[in-house]
């Protein structure tokens, strides 16, 4: 299944397919950002399966680099899926997720419906 533009409420969201190229660095993030802009998205929803384990190891700085790319282009990023096993392994990641979910640029949500609800609240 290809990445598709969906309207979650009034918000255009590029919903990435779970079997696409993993977001492993700034270059792959830029490719997804370009796809999102090309389709007119305000947000990109990336399934957890499209992220490498290094994304969740904050010391690698991969998460920070990828998120910064989305911030620079003013495109929201939602990580969609269960990350509980990553959270169980890292207090720093739990703090990062909690702070991200308080903001307006990066959210970690369990599923697309949770993202739809969150977008409707903003």
């Amino acid at each position: 299944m290809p990445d598709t533009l969906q309207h979650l409420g009034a918000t255009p969201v590029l919903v990435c397919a779970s079997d696409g190229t993993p977001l492993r660095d700034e270059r792959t993030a830029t490719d997804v950002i370009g796809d999102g802009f090309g389709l007119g998205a305000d947000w990109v929803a990336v399934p957890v399966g499209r992220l490498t384990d290094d994304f969740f190891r904050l010391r690698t700085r991969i998460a920070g680099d990828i998120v910064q790319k989305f911030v620079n282009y003013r495109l929201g990023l939602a990580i969609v899926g269960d990350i509980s096993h990553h959270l169980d392994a890292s207090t720093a990641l739990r703090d990062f997720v909690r702070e991200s979910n308080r903001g307006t640029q990066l959210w970690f949500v369990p599923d697309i419906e949770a993202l739809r609800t969150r977008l409707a609240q903003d």
Side-chain angles (χ1 to χ4, degrees), residues 22-120:
L23 268 72
R24 62 183 75 219
D25 54 27
E26 290 180 69
R27 185 184 56 78
T28 53
T30 302
D31 291 343
V32 171
I33 290 167
D35 293 344
F37 271 128
L39 294 171
D42 291 338
W43 276 80
V44 174
V46 177
V48 170
R50 291 270 299 262
L51 300 169
T52 65
D53 285 343
D54 281 344
F55 179 91
F56 297 100
R57 292 185 197 107
L58 298 182
R59 70 181 176 273
T60 67
R61 304 181 89 172
I62 291 172
D65 291 345
I66 289 173
V67 171
Q68 189 60 52
K69 277 291 181 196
F70 279 86
V71 169
N72 290 347
Y73 287 96
R74 294 186 172 100
L75 194 61
L77 174 61
I79 307 301
V80 180
D82 181 12
I83 61 167
S84 58
H85 65 285
H86 294 292
L87 295 174
D88 291 344
S90 172
T91 300
L93 181 62
R94 281 193 301 272
D95 293 343
F96 177 70
V97 169
R98 183 176 48 253
E99 290 302 315
S100 296
N101 282 342
R102 289 180 181 161
T104 59
Q105 185 65 44
L106 171 65
W107 297 335
F108 292 82
V109 295
D111 54 40
I112 290 294
E113 284 309 309
L115 177 58
R116 181 188 312 273
T117 300
R118 181 77 192 265
L119 288 167

